[in-house]
Amino acid sequence: MNKVPLTIKGAEKLRAELEELKSVVRPRIIASISTARAHGDLKENAEYHAAKEQQSFTEGRISEIEGKLSNAQIIDVTKVDANGKVVFGATVEIEDIESERKVTYQIVGEDEANIKEGRISIGSPIARALIGKEVEDVVTVKAPGGNVEYEIISIEYV
């Protein structure tokens, strides 16, 4: 399987979620199942079925996170020698040349992407256009509404 790029913060967040699921959520579900079993007939026991469904979801999520972490290529952008170019993990401020609107994005793995938090996936059209470029370069992004040109204002490696 291919290695999936992940920032250090993204990996830490996944590890924290995994720890929470294993040490807090899983035991709570087991206790709920135990309590529901004590109520008797399992066929018509809604509490039991809800707890089993929650257990199934939680175990699936645990497996998913473990799989992601085992296939992750964790990249520390502060140690990458980027020579002033946009690379995975970099935080880039860009300006829409037409509207003069500035936005800042960090280029992250697909699992970490969250546009509301300013993190875009390495596979997004904007990130693909920015990779390898330098400050003051102008990039053209093919957007649904047509091509948009951005100028790179700054690049940070944090």
Side-chain angles (χ1 to χ4, degrees), residues 96 124-126 128-129 139-150:
D96 183 326
S124 70
I126 294 176
R128 287 197 317 262
V139 297
T140 303
V141 177
K142 292 180 179 152
N147 290 345
V148 181
E149 289 188 324
Y150 293 100

Side-chain angles (χ1 to χ4, degrees), residues 58-105:
T58 301
E59 294 302 325
R61 182 66 181 150
I62 287 170
S63 293
E64 180 184 357
I65 292 171
E66 288 175 339
K68 286 177 183 179
L69 288 173
S70 69
N71 289 316
Q73 177 182 1
I74 300 171
I75 298 170
D76 184 353
V77 72
T78 62
K79 292 185 170 68
V80 173
D81 185 16
N83 292 323
K85 295 186 183 296
V86 177
V87 294
F88 177 85
T91 301
V92 184
E93 182 181 14
I94 56 176
E95 180 179 8
D96 183 326
I97 291 177
E98 191 174 303
S99 71
E100 296 184 1
R101 187 176 74 100
K102 292 181 182 180
V103 289
T104 302
Y105 294 123

Side-chain angles (χ1 to χ4, degrees), residues 129-146:
L130 292 171
I131 293 292
K133 302 297 190 280
E134 299 175 345
V135 172
E136 296 184 0
D137 282 356
V138 174
V139 297
T140 303
V141 177
K142 292 180 179 152

